[in-house]
Amino acid sequence: MTIRSRTVAWSGALSALLAVAVVASAGMGSVSIPPATVAKALLSADPLPFAFDVGRTNRIIVVNVRMPRIALAALVGFALATAGTVMQGFFRNPMADPSIVGVSSGAAVGAVATIVLPFAFPFGLELQGAAFVSAVVTAFAVYLIATEDGRTPTATLLLAGVAVQTFLGAVISLLLLHSGMSIRRVVYWLMGHLGGTTWAEVRVIALVLPPLFLLLLAYARDLNVLLLGEEDAHALGIEVERTKRLLLAASSVVTAAAVAVTGVIGFVGLIVPHGMRLLVGPDHRILLPTSALAGASFLVATDTLARSGSAEIPVGIVTATLGAPFFLYLLRSREVTGL
């Protein structure tokens, strides 16, 4: 099969899996709704032209209460898996994840500062806006630190990211010491959550994500060549530094948009690309879209699990609980020692 036909086949299968996960998730909760009723309610939602009679209560529960959270979970999982796939290829490092250049730590500083400190951020930035701006500024700062004479060695960028993450971790700890009565809200945000989602948040990330994903997908072949090493990539006609800047900027903004609305959700961008790489191979032309779709299904499923118990828990706890053992299994089976 050609790359295009394999991509279409895998993407179709994973899209169907995502649809099943969405319908199943929308039917689960304190009020159980059959899958057929969920599907009819979704097809009857604006602006779709269908008009199935599912009852006003079922329609409100599915469309207005559960679907914003499910849609945000799918978009954030899509974003984190996309960024993780790009970062692993960019750094040629199987341990790379979306937060490797300090984006998550930067977002956390902005969010925690907004919660803890008594002053308002300029331009009317609320928590999510402050988190997004802080994340993007952090990624840009790491890039500037690692760049010298117009070149940005990936090893230097990686070390700069680790150093900045450590420093920002200390800043977050300092803010926690002065958080007072707001510490519960801070800790809840740092754990990663999807509670209280509205369609407004979904629309924001839905505007940011698609164009950046298409941009990254257009550079999938260049990302394949970068795996050979920068010298070989340059010899094959790739504008290495320009490509690296573009990949870093796009993946950082994708990660920042996801983290800003949900908090820090770990392991999605680390284990999903590895799992899909075992299934579809290392070619980013197929790995990038399939990882993104798998990440969407994974976060929808884990968030459903997070809210299905007697007491809802942050989804970041669930992804870490499931992700860490799976990654250790891959590590023991030597599936993460190379790309």
Side-chain angles (χ1 to χ4, degrees), residues 50-66:
F50 305 100
F52 294 103
D53 183 16
V54 295
R56 183 173 180 271
T57 300
N58 286 338
R59 190 187 308 277
I60 291 174
I61 291 174
V62 172
V63 177
N64 297 339
V65 177
R66 294 178 183 171

Side-chain angles (χ1 to χ4, degrees), residues 1-15 224 275-291 293:
M1 296 176 67
T2 64
I3 291 295
R4 175 171 294 185
S5 59
R6 289 183 63 210
T7 302
V8 170
W10 274 105
S11 297
L14 289 168
S15 296
N224 286 342
M276 292 311 303
R277 192 176 286 110
L278 297 177
L279 292 175
V280 305
D283 191 328
H284 287 88
R285 291 173 293 179
I286 180 173
L287 179 61
L288 195 57
T290 54
S291 293
L293 289 168

Side-chain angles (χ1 to χ4, degrees), residues 9 55 65 76 139 149 166 181 199 217 256 281 293 300 314 329:
V65 177
V76 170
D149 298 328
T166 303
M181 297 299 293
W199 281 115
L217 190 60
L293 289 168
V300 168
Y329 165 75

Side-chain angles (χ1 to χ4, degrees), residues 171-247:
V171 173
I172 294 169
S173 298
L174 181 62
L175 290 171
L176 283 172
L177 287 176
H178 297 85
S179 59
M181 297 299 293
S182 59
I183 189 169
R184 181 180 179 87
R185 185 182 175 197
V186 171
V187 172
Y188 187 72
W189 191 91
L190 291 174
M191 288 179 180
H193 66 93
L194 288 160
T197 300
T198 65
W199 281 115
E201 295 166 330
V202 175
R203 283 192 288 269
V204 169
I205 193 170
L207 288 174
V208 173
L209 183 56
L212 291 175
F213 173 75
L214 292 175
L215 178 64
L216 291 170
L217 190 60
Y219 278 80
R221 177 186 171 277
D222 293 5
L223 196 54
N224 286 342
V225 179
L226 283 176
L227 289 176
L228 302 175
E230 293 184 16
E231 292 185 2
D232 290 338
H234 182 74
L236 291 171
I238 301 297
E239 296 183 43
V240 174
E241 292 303 321
R242 176 179 175 274
T243 301
K244 286 164 59 178
R245 286 194 296 269
L246 187 146
L247 292 173

Side-chain angles (χ1 to χ4, degrees), residues 49 75 101 112 114 141 155 164 243 248 269 274 276 280 296-297 318 331 338:
L75 289 169
V101 292
V112 174
T114 304
V164 169
T243 301
L248 181 64
H274 281 303
M276 292 311 303
V280 305
S297 296
V318 179
L331 187 64

